[in-house]
Amino acid sequence: MEDFKIEPAERIKRLPPYLFGRLNALKHSKRQQQIDIIDLGMGNPLDPTPQVIVDKLCEAARDQRNQRYSVSKGVFNLRREMALKYKRKWDVELDPNSEIIACVGSKEGFSHMCLAMLGPGDTAIVADPAFPIHIYAVALAGANVVTVPLGNTEQSLKDMIHVCEKLYPRPKVMILNFPHNPTAMTVDDIGYFETVVDFAKKMHIAVIHDFAYGETCFDGYKAPSFMSAKGAKDVGVEFTTMSKPYNMAGFRIGFAVGNKTMIDALGTVKGYYDYGIFQAIQIASIVAMRECDKDIEEQNLKYQSRRDVICDGLNQIGWQVEKPRGSMFVWARVPEEQSKGKGSIDFAMDLMEYANVSIAPGRAFGENGEHYMRIALVENENRLRQAVRNIKRFVQKG
Ligand SMILES: Cc1ncc(COP(=O)(O)O)c(C=O)c1O
C-alpha cells in the first residue's frame, strides 16, 4: 500500500489555489466566536424569491409527473417562455427548439459550452479582471486563455481585436460580460455589440456573452442584449440566469440562447452529463418570467439605493468610487494611503479581522483587479451603513 498514490487528472492541476480559502477560513472562525460579520463578499442574493414562484414550486413538486427525470435541454414550455421574454424585453426572435437551451444555472451552461467549443490547442480571449469561471472553464476544457486588461469597455474591445489579429493560431472564442462582474462596467448601446459581430464574422471567432446582470440595471439604464445586434446569432450565444433578477440563485436555472450550432453542441454535452433540471423548478421559472417583471423592478430599486449608500459612504472616506448603472456590485479602488501598500487579499483579511466586514479582493478576479475591492450589494441599507462605519474606523485608526 505504501506506494499507492491517487493522482487526480492533469486538468485539476491547471486550476490555481483557491484565493478565497484564507478569507473563508477567517470568516468561519469569526462566526464560530459569535462575531457578526457583515458579508458583502459574494453575489448571492439575500432577498427572498417572489412568493408566487415559491408557491408554484411547492405545488409542482407535489405533482408526481414532475418527480421523474426531465429533459436535459429543458421542457418546451420553458424554452417558449424564454423566447417570449427575449421578444418582449429585447425585441429578439428566437426559435425555442433550436436556439434556446436551459442549464443548471448559467455557470454550468457556460462551463459546458467551453467544453463543447474548446479543447487542447484552442484559445479563448477574455478581459481581466473576470468572473473566475470565464477563465477556469476554458482551462478545464484543456484550452488556453489570453487576457487583455479591462481598463474601460472601448479600449478593452480594441485590445481584444488587436490581439486576435496578431495571435496565431487565432483565438477561437471571445468571452464578454456586460454588465460586468466584478467591475460593474456596462456598454452604452448596441453599437458595441455590432462591432463585436462584424469583427467575429471577419475573423471567424465565436462569441459567448454572459448576460447574468442583463436585468439588474439602475437609473433608467437598459443593458443591451448581445442578441439584439444584427447577425449575433451567426457568431455566438448569450447566457442569462434566473439567479439574479428573480433571487432564484439556489434553484439553479439559467439559459443559453443564440447560434444553433453552439446550442446544439452544448445540448450534446448536457445530454450525456445530465437529465435536466427538476421539472418543478422549470415550471416555477415559467411563472417567474410571466408574472415577476414588477418584482425585478422593485429589486433593482433596492440595489440602486444600496449602491448609493456604499458609493456615497466610501467616497466620504476618500475611496473615489463611481456609481455603476448595472450588476449587483460596487468596484472600488482602495487609496494607497489606506491600504498602505498591502495587496487586496491582505487588505480584505484586515477588513474581516478588524472591521468585521467581508468584501471580495479584486486580485481574486485577475492581476488587473489588484488594489480594488468588490462589494456585493446583498445586505440591507442599515447593514451597509454599518459596514462603511466599520471600514472608516479601521482605515482612520491606521
Ligand atoms: C457574471 C456571472 N455569470 C454567471 C454567474 C452564475 O450564475 P448562475 O447562478 O446562473 O450559475 C454569476 C454569479 O455570480 C455571475 O456573476
Side-chain angles (χ1 to χ4, degrees), residues 1-2 25 33 64 76 128 135 157 216 265 271 309 315 324 366-367 375 379:
M1 268 317 269
E2 300 91 67
Q33 298 162 54
Q64 208 190 330
F76 177 78
D128 170 328
I135 308 267
L157 182 56
T216 310
V309 167
N315 279 326
E367 273 172 30
I375 298 144
E379 292 261 20

Coordinates of all heavy atoms in Angstrom, one line a residue, residues 1-2 25 33 64 76 128 135 157 216 265 271 309 315 324 366-367 375 379:
M1 N 0.8 -1.2 0.0 CA 0.0 0.0 0.0 C 0.9 1.3 0.0 O 0.4 2.3 -0.5 CB -0.9 0.0 1.2 CG -2.3 -0.6 1.1 SD -3.2 -0.2 -0.3 CE -4.1 1.3 0.1
E2 N 2.1 1.2 0.5 CA 2.9 2.4 0.7 C 3.1 3.2 -0.6 O 3.1 4.4 -0.6 CB 4.3 2.2 1.3 CG 4.4 1.4 2.6 CD 4.5 0.0 2.3 OE1 5.5 -0.5 1.8 OE2 3.5 -0.7 2.7
A25 N -11.8 30.9 5.7 CA -11.4 30.2 6.9 C -11.5 31.3 8.1 O -12.0 31.0 9.2 CB -10.0 29.7 6.8
Q33 N -16.9 32.3 16.8 CA -16.7 33.1 18.0 C -17.9 34.0 18.2 O -17.9 35.0 19.0 CB -15.5 33.9 18.0 CG -14.2 33.2 17.9 CD -13.0 34.1 17.4 OE1 -12.8 35.1 18.0 NE2 -12.4 33.7 16.3
Q64 N -46.9 14.2 -9.1 CA -46.0 13.1 -9.3 C -45.3 13.1 -10.7 O -44.2 12.6 -10.9 CB -46.8 11.8 -9.2 CG -46.0 10.7 -8.7 CD -46.8 9.4 -8.8 OE1 -48.0 9.4 -8.6 NE2 -46.1 8.3 -9.0
F76 N -40.3 22.1 -23.3 CA -40.6 23.1 -24.4 C -41.3 24.4 -23.9 O -40.9 25.5 -24.3 CB -41.6 22.4 -25.4 CG -41.9 23.4 -26.5 CD1 -41.0 23.7 -27.5 CD2 -43.2 24.0 -26.5 CE1 -41.3 24.6 -28.5 CE2 -43.5 25.0 -27.5 CZ -42.6 25.3 -28.5
D128 N -9.5 40.9 -18.3 CA -9.0 40.7 -16.9 C -9.2 42.1 -16.2 O -8.6 43.1 -16.7 CB -7.6 40.2 -17.0 CG -6.9 40.2 -15.6 OD1 -7.2 41.0 -14.7 OD2 -6.0 39.3 -15.4
I135 N -12.4 32.2 -16.9 CA -11.0 31.7 -17.2 C -10.9 30.2 -17.0 O -10.4 29.5 -17.8 CB -10.1 32.4 -16.2 CG1 -10.3 33.9 -16.1 CG2 -8.6 31.9 -16.4 CD1 -9.4 34.7 -17.0
L157 N -12.1 46.3 -25.9 CA -12.5 45.7 -27.2 C -11.5 45.9 -28.2 O -11.1 45.0 -29.0 CB -13.9 46.3 -27.6 CG -14.5 45.7 -28.9 CD1 -14.6 44.2 -28.8 CD2 -15.8 46.3 -29.2
T216 N -30.4 43.6 -14.2 CA -30.1 44.3 -13.0 C -29.4 45.6 -13.3 O -28.2 45.7 -13.3 CB -29.2 43.4 -12.1 OG1 -29.7 42.1 -12.0 CG2 -29.0 43.9 -10.7
A265 N -24.3 21.9 -29.8 CA -23.1 21.3 -29.2 C -23.2 21.2 -27.7 O -22.9 20.2 -27.1 CB -21.9 22.1 -29.6
G271 N -26.7 16.4 -22.8 CA -27.4 15.2 -23.0 C -26.7 14.0 -22.4 O -27.3 13.0 -21.9
V309 N -25.8 54.1 -1.0 CA -25.2 54.1 0.4 C -23.8 53.8 0.4 O -22.9 54.5 1.0 CB -26.0 53.1 1.3 CG1 -25.3 52.8 2.6 CG2 -27.4 53.5 1.5
N315 N -17.0 57.2 -0.8 CA -16.4 58.5 -1.3 C -16.1 59.4 -0.2 O -15.1 60.1 -0.2 CB -17.4 59.1 -2.3 CG -17.3 58.5 -3.7 OD1 -16.2 58.1 -4.1 ND2 -18.4 58.3 -4.4
P324 N -22.1 52.5 -10.3 CA -22.4 51.7 -11.5 C -23.9 51.8 -11.9 O -24.7 52.0 -11.1 CB -22.0 50.3 -11.0 CG -22.2 50.3 -9.6 CD -21.9 51.7 -9.1
G366 N -8.3 38.4 -11.0 CA -7.2 38.6 -12.0 C -6.2 39.6 -11.6 O -6.5 40.5 -10.7
E367 N -5.1 39.6 -12.3 CA -4.0 40.6 -12.0 C -4.5 42.0 -12.0 O -4.1 42.9 -11.2 CB -2.9 40.5 -13.0 CG -1.9 39.4 -12.7 CD -0.9 39.2 -13.9 OE1 -0.6 40.2 -14.6 OE2 -0.4 38.1 -14.0
I375 N -17.6 44.9 -3.8 CA -18.6 44.9 -2.7 C -20.0 44.5 -3.3 O -20.5 45.2 -4.1 CB -18.7 46.3 -2.1 CG1 -17.3 46.7 -1.5 CG2 -19.8 46.4 -1.0 CD1 -17.0 48.2 -1.7
E379 N -26.7 43.1 1.4 CA -27.2 43.3 2.7 C -28.1 44.6 2.6 O -28.0 45.4 1.7 CB -26.1 43.6 3.7 CG -25.3 42.3 4.0 CD -25.7 41.6 5.3 OE1 -26.9 41.8 5.7 OE2 -24.9 40.8 5.8

